[in-house]
Amino acid sequence: LIEAVGAREILDSRGNPTVEVEVLLDDGTVQRAAVPSGASTGAFEAYELRDDDKSRYSGKGVLKAVAAVVDELGPAIEGVEASEQRIIDSILIETDGTENKSRTGANAILGVSLAVAKAAADSADLPLFRYLGGPNAHLLPVPALNVINGGAHADTGVDIQEFFLVPLGAETFAEAMRWGTETYHVLKGELKAGGFATGLGDEGGFAPDLPSNRGALDFLLAAIEKAGYKPGTDIAVGLDVAATEFYSDGAYHFEGKDWSAAELTKYYEELLANYPLVTIEDALSEDDWDGWKALTDDIGSKVQLVGDDLFVTNPARLADGIKRGVANSLLVKVNQIGTLSETLDAVGLATRSGYTSMMSHRSGETEDTFIADLAVAVNCGQIKTGAPARSERIAKYNQLLRIEEELGDAAEFAGRSAYPRFTG
Ligand code: PGA
Ligand code: ZN
């Protein structure tokens, strides 16, 4: 039974305040969870409550959310069995009482939801992935390593936010990490040799001021080959365009010009013809349903089209997208929706509808590794949690290395099967 719930304000990887929640059970179990935070957030995400008190952290403090945990959310679930996750999450949602979790804050609610799951797992003496996923949790995800950071995550002219190395030809998760990390180091040398800066963006990727977005892909391909791997066969590439960020007044402001959705779609078609691209996330804006539909009809059979800002891990928005035949993959961010149960609902709906799912961190992260276990628990076969650099990113990858070891012979690396539409 849940005996007490506490919370505190801690700092995330950008030095911004965030919520950490601690749950105590009556058997003495104590577990904590920390909440991530995005920069290129979707308009339809659950509400992140910040204090707006300009005298602290430029208004970004989270003392109100902390107080909501201590005064309201915690007391509302005291005495409930910690393994009753769905009941607990619905109590949290009801206690908040708003559509988008804006009164107590999705950051407060998520911290409680995740800490409860960790405490229940610990109390049952199970690893988190096993507790969450049951006896069939066994699939290690292909990492999408974000090695070049642009868009809102870097102060450069590169419009596309994330460029991934996707080592899908590896035999194991550990091998995939080695291939991707070796290539990351080679990429650094190549950028340096080309006279570009090798400082890191928010997610640990390099943030060079490249002249074009294609130029970033060229660097990735060159690095893959120089590291001794075959582009497409061993290591493919992927993009998070985060197009909502450069969409305004009915046009996409990309590479110094105004583009229509149809023009951008043509651009993606050309990329597909020239690069081993397995996944494109947020290729168009979160509001541009017509553009998304045409895009999906055009290239959705050949490449994974991931909805991040488009779906915001929201089962209702995802259901709408599925009905319209828009995109073919769900990005999974626990803090976009705010409870574990709703996250699991979104993944379940995606899977039943033939959509793939990619587990995801946020650009503002902590040392919390919940999403690593969650990726294995739901067997989604894909995760993006940054470059192989910076400990808040590496923490998740390291946790997956541990899980792979713990699973032993039962572990299976998703490999190419994670990308059923990829033919390159
Ligand atoms: P965010 O970026 O966490 O800043 O929203 C990640 C993404 O867009 O996938
Ligand atoms: Zn995204």
Short mmCIF file of all heavy atoms in Angstrom, two decimals, residues 148 150 156-160 163 191 196 208-219 239 254-256 259 267 271 275:
data_model
loop_
_atom_site.label_atom_id
_atom_site.label_comp_id
_atom_site.label_asym_id
_atom_site.label_seq_id
_atom_site.Cartn_x
_atom_site.Cartn_y
_atom_site.Cartn_z
N ILE A 148 23.62 14.53 -34.96
CA ILE A 148 23.71 15.94 -35.35
C ILE A 148 22.45 16.65 -34.89
O ILE A 148 21.33 16.23 -35.21
CB ILE A 148 23.94 16.12 -36.87
CG1 ILE A 148 25.35 15.58 -37.24
CG2 ILE A 148 23.82 17.60 -37.27
CD1 ILE A 148 25.73 15.81 -38.69
N GLY A 150 20.12 20.02 -34.67
CA GLY A 150 19.85 21.32 -35.29
C GLY A 150 18.56 21.88 -34.71
O GLY A 150 18.20 21.59 -33.57
N THR A 156 22.27 26.98 -34.64
CA THR A 156 22.87 26.96 -35.98
C THR A 156 21.79 27.14 -37.03
O THR A 156 20.60 27.22 -36.71
CB THR A 156 23.57 25.62 -36.26
OG1 THR A 156 22.58 24.58 -36.29
CG2 THR A 156 24.61 25.30 -35.20
N GLY A 157 22.20 27.18 -38.30
CA GLY A 157 21.25 27.35 -39.39
C GLY A 157 20.67 26.04 -39.89
O GLY A 157 19.94 26.04 -40.89
N VAL A 158 20.98 24.92 -39.26
CA VAL A 158 20.43 23.63 -39.71
C VAL A 158 18.97 23.54 -39.25
O VAL A 158 18.69 23.56 -38.06
CB VAL A 158 21.26 22.45 -39.14
CG1 VAL A 158 20.66 21.13 -39.56
CG2 VAL A 158 22.71 22.56 -39.59
N ASP A 159 18.04 23.44 -40.22
CA ASP A 159 16.61 23.48 -39.87
C ASP A 159 16.09 22.18 -39.28
O ASP A 159 15.21 22.18 -38.43
CB ASP A 159 15.77 23.78 -41.13
CG ASP A 159 16.21 25.06 -41.81
OD1 ASP A 159 16.17 26.10 -41.16
OD2 ASP A 159 16.61 24.99 -42.99
N ILE A 160 16.60 21.05 -39.80
CA ILE A 160 16.14 19.76 -39.30
C ILE A 160 16.72 19.55 -37.91
O ILE A 160 17.92 19.79 -37.68
CB ILE A 160 16.52 18.62 -40.27
CG1 ILE A 160 15.72 18.78 -41.57
CG2 ILE A 160 16.28 17.25 -39.64
CD1 ILE A 160 16.01 17.73 -42.64
N PHE A 163 19.35 14.28 -36.58
CA PHE A 163 19.86 13.35 -37.60
C PHE A 163 20.33 12.09 -36.89
O PHE A 163 21.25 12.14 -36.08
CB PHE A 163 21.02 13.99 -38.37
CG PHE A 163 20.62 15.19 -39.20
CD1 PHE A 163 20.55 16.46 -38.61
CD2 PHE A 163 20.31 15.06 -40.54
CE1 PHE A 163 20.18 17.57 -39.37
CE2 PHE A 163 19.94 16.17 -41.31
CZ PHE A 163 19.87 17.43 -40.72
N LEU A 191 33.88 16.10 -39.13
CA LEU A 191 33.40 17.47 -38.99
C LEU A 191 34.57 18.41 -38.73
O LEU A 191 34.67 19.49 -39.32
CB LEU A 191 32.37 17.57 -37.86
CG LEU A 191 31.00 16.92 -38.13
CD1 LEU A 191 30.18 16.85 -36.85
CD2 LEU A 191 30.24 17.70 -39.21
N PHE A 196 34.34 22.37 -39.24
CA PHE A 196 33.10 22.66 -38.51
C PHE A 196 33.27 22.46 -37.01
O PHE A 196 34.09 21.64 -36.57
CB PHE A 196 31.96 21.77 -39.03
CG PHE A 196 31.56 22.09 -40.43
CD1 PHE A 196 31.98 21.28 -41.49
CD2 PHE A 196 30.81 23.22 -40.71
CE1 PHE A 196 31.63 21.58 -42.79
CE2 PHE A 196 30.46 23.53 -42.02
CZ PHE A 196 30.87 22.71 -43.07
N PRO A 208 27.09 21.38 -35.72
CA PRO A 208 27.86 22.16 -36.69
C PRO A 208 26.94 23.09 -37.49
O PRO A 208 25.79 22.74 -37.73
CB PRO A 208 28.45 21.09 -37.61
CG PRO A 208 27.45 19.97 -37.57
CD PRO A 208 26.87 19.99 -36.17
N ASP A 209 27.47 24.22 -37.89
CA ASP A 209 26.68 25.16 -38.70
C ASP A 209 26.85 24.78 -40.17
O ASP A 209 27.56 25.45 -40.92
CB ASP A 209 27.15 26.59 -38.43
CG ASP A 209 26.05 27.60 -38.75
OD1 ASP A 209 25.01 27.18 -39.29
OD2 ASP A 209 26.24 28.78 -38.46
N LEU A 210 26.19 23.72 -40.57
CA LEU A 210 26.34 23.19 -41.94
C LEU A 210 25.53 24.04 -42.91
O LEU A 210 24.50 24.60 -42.54
CB LEU A 210 25.87 21.73 -41.99
CG LEU A 210 26.66 20.76 -41.10
CD1 LEU A 210 25.94 19.43 -40.99
CD2 LEU A 210 28.07 20.56 -41.67
N PRO A 211 25.98 24.08 -44.16
CA PRO A 211 25.29 24.92 -45.15
C PRO A 211 23.92 24.36 -45.56
O PRO A 211 23.08 25.11 -46.04
CB PRO A 211 26.24 24.96 -46.35
CG PRO A 211 27.14 23.78 -46.16
CD PRO A 211 27.22 23.52 -44.70
N SER A 212 23.70 23.06 -45.42
CA SER A 212 22.40 22.52 -45.81
C SER A 212 22.08 21.28 -44.98
O SER A 212 22.95 20.70 -44.33
CB SER A 212 22.39 22.14 -47.29
OG SER A 212 23.10 20.92 -47.46
N ASN A 213 20.80 20.89 -45.04
CA ASN A 213 20.37 19.70 -44.32
C ASN A 213 20.90 18.43 -44.99
O ASN A 213 21.24 17.46 -44.32
CB ASN A 213 18.86 19.69 -44.21
CG ASN A 213 18.37 20.84 -43.33
OD1 ASN A 213 18.41 20.75 -42.12
ND2 ASN A 213 17.94 21.93 -43.94
N ARG A 214 20.95 18.46 -46.32
CA ARG A 214 21.54 17.32 -47.03
C ARG A 214 23.00 17.15 -46.65
O ARG A 214 23.50 16.02 -46.57
CB ARG A 214 21.43 17.52 -48.54
CG ARG A 214 20.04 17.28 -49.10
CD ARG A 214 20.06 17.46 -50.62
NE ARG A 214 20.48 16.24 -51.30
CZ ARG A 214 19.72 15.59 -52.16
NH1 ARG A 214 18.52 16.02 -52.45
NH2 ARG A 214 20.17 14.49 -52.73
N GLY A 215 23.67 18.27 -46.39
CA GLY A 215 25.07 18.22 -46.00
C GLY A 215 25.26 17.39 -44.73
O GLY A 215 26.25 16.66 -44.58
N ALA A 216 24.31 17.49 -43.81
CA ALA A 216 24.39 16.69 -42.58
C ALA A 216 24.28 15.21 -42.90
O ALA A 216 25.02 14.38 -42.36
CB ALA A 216 23.30 17.12 -41.61
N LEU A 217 23.36 14.86 -43.81
CA LEU A 217 23.21 13.46 -44.20
C LEU A 217 24.47 12.95 -44.89
O LEU A 217 24.89 11.81 -44.68
CB LEU A 217 22.00 13.29 -45.12
CG LEU A 217 20.64 13.32 -44.42
CD1 LEU A 217 19.50 13.37 -45.44
CD2 LEU A 217 20.47 12.12 -43.49
N ASP A 218 25.09 13.80 -45.71
CA ASP A 218 26.34 13.40 -46.37
C ASP A 218 27.42 13.09 -45.34
O ASP A 218 28.17 12.11 -45.49
CB ASP A 218 26.81 14.50 -47.34
CG ASP A 218 25.88 14.63 -48.54
OD1 ASP A 218 25.23 13.62 -48.90
OD2 ASP A 218 25.79 15.74 -49.10
N PHE A 219 27.51 13.92 -44.31
CA PHE A 219 28.49 13.65 -43.25
C PHE A 219 28.20 12.32 -42.55
O PHE A 219 29.11 11.55 -42.25
CB PHE A 219 28.49 14.79 -42.21
CG PHE A 219 29.54 15.83 -42.48
CD1 PHE A 219 29.20 17.08 -42.96
CD2 PHE A 219 30.88 15.54 -42.24
CE1 PHE A 219 30.18 18.04 -43.21
CE2 PHE A 219 31.87 16.50 -42.48
CZ PHE A 219 31.52 17.74 -42.98
N LEU A 239 15.58 10.90 -39.55
CA LEU A 239 15.42 12.33 -39.28
C LEU A 239 14.27 12.60 -38.33
O LEU A 239 13.24 11.92 -38.41
CB LEU A 239 15.09 13.09 -40.58
CG LEU A 239 16.07 13.01 -41.76
CD1 LEU A 239 15.44 13.67 -42.98
CD2 LEU A 239 17.39 13.66 -41.40
N PHE A 254 11.99 26.92 -44.65
CA PHE A 254 13.02 25.89 -44.63
C PHE A 254 14.14 26.26 -45.59
O PHE A 254 13.86 26.60 -46.75
CB PHE A 254 12.36 24.55 -45.04
CG PHE A 254 13.25 23.35 -45.00
CD1 PHE A 254 13.62 22.76 -43.79
CD2 PHE A 254 13.70 22.78 -46.18
CE1 PHE A 254 14.43 21.63 -43.76
CE2 PHE A 254 14.51 21.65 -46.15
CZ PHE A 254 14.87 21.08 -44.95
N GLU A 255 15.36 26.23 -45.14
CA GLU A 255 16.53 26.58 -45.95
C GLU A 255 16.35 27.92 -46.67
O GLU A 255 16.66 28.05 -47.85
CB GLU A 255 16.87 25.45 -46.92
CG GLU A 255 17.30 24.18 -46.19
CD GLU A 255 17.97 23.13 -47.07
OE1 GLU A 255 17.66 23.09 -48.27
OE2 GLU A 255 18.78 22.36 -46.54
N GLY A 256 15.81 28.88 -45.94
CA GLY A 256 15.72 30.24 -46.46
C GLY A 256 14.62 30.50 -47.47
O GLY A 256 14.57 31.57 -48.07
N TRP A 259 8.12 26.93 -48.30
CA TRP A 259 7.76 25.68 -48.98
C TRP A 259 6.32 25.32 -48.64
O TRP A 259 5.85 25.53 -47.53
CB TRP A 259 8.62 24.52 -48.51
CG TRP A 259 10.11 24.66 -48.64
CD1 TRP A 259 10.90 25.67 -48.16
CD2 TRP A 259 11.00 23.74 -49.31
NE1 TRP A 259 12.22 25.43 -48.47
CE2 TRP A 259 12.32 24.26 -49.17
CE3 TRP A 259 10.82 22.53 -49.98
CZ2 TRP A 259 13.43 23.61 -49.68
CZ3 TRP A 259 11.94 21.88 -50.49
CH2 TRP A 259 13.23 22.44 -50.36
N TYR A 267 10.74 16.92 -51.58
CA TYR A 267 12.10 16.96 -51.03
C TYR A 267 12.41 15.64 -50.28
O TYR A 267 13.46 15.04 -50.45
CB TYR A 267 12.22 18.17 -50.10
CG TYR A 267 13.48 18.27 -49.28
CD1 TYR A 267 14.65 18.79 -49.82
CD2 TYR A 267 13.49 17.86 -47.94
CE1 TYR A 267 15.81 18.90 -49.06
CE2 TYR A 267 14.63 17.98 -47.17
CZ TYR A 267 15.80 18.49 -47.73
OH TYR A 267 16.93 18.59 -46.96
N LEU A 271 15.17 12.65 -50.93
CA LEU A 271 16.08 12.13 -49.90
C LEU A 271 16.00 10.61 -49.86
O LEU A 271 17.01 9.91 -49.76
CB LEU A 271 15.73 12.69 -48.51
CG LEU A 271 15.97 14.18 -48.26
CD1 LEU A 271 15.70 14.52 -46.80
CD2 LEU A 271 17.40 14.59 -48.62
N TYR A 275 19.34 8.38 -49.97
CA TYR A 275 19.93 8.01 -48.69
C TYR A 275 19.17 6.82 -48.09
O TYR A 275 17.97 6.68 -48.33
CB TYR A 275 19.86 9.18 -47.69
CG TYR A 275 20.60 10.42 -48.16
CD1 TYR A 275 19.93 11.42 -48.86
CD2 TYR A 275 21.96 10.58 -47.90
CE1 TYR A 275 20.60 12.56 -49.30
CE2 TYR A 275 22.63 11.72 -48.33
CZ TYR A 275 21.96 12.70 -49.03
OH TYR A 275 22.62 13.81 -49.46
#
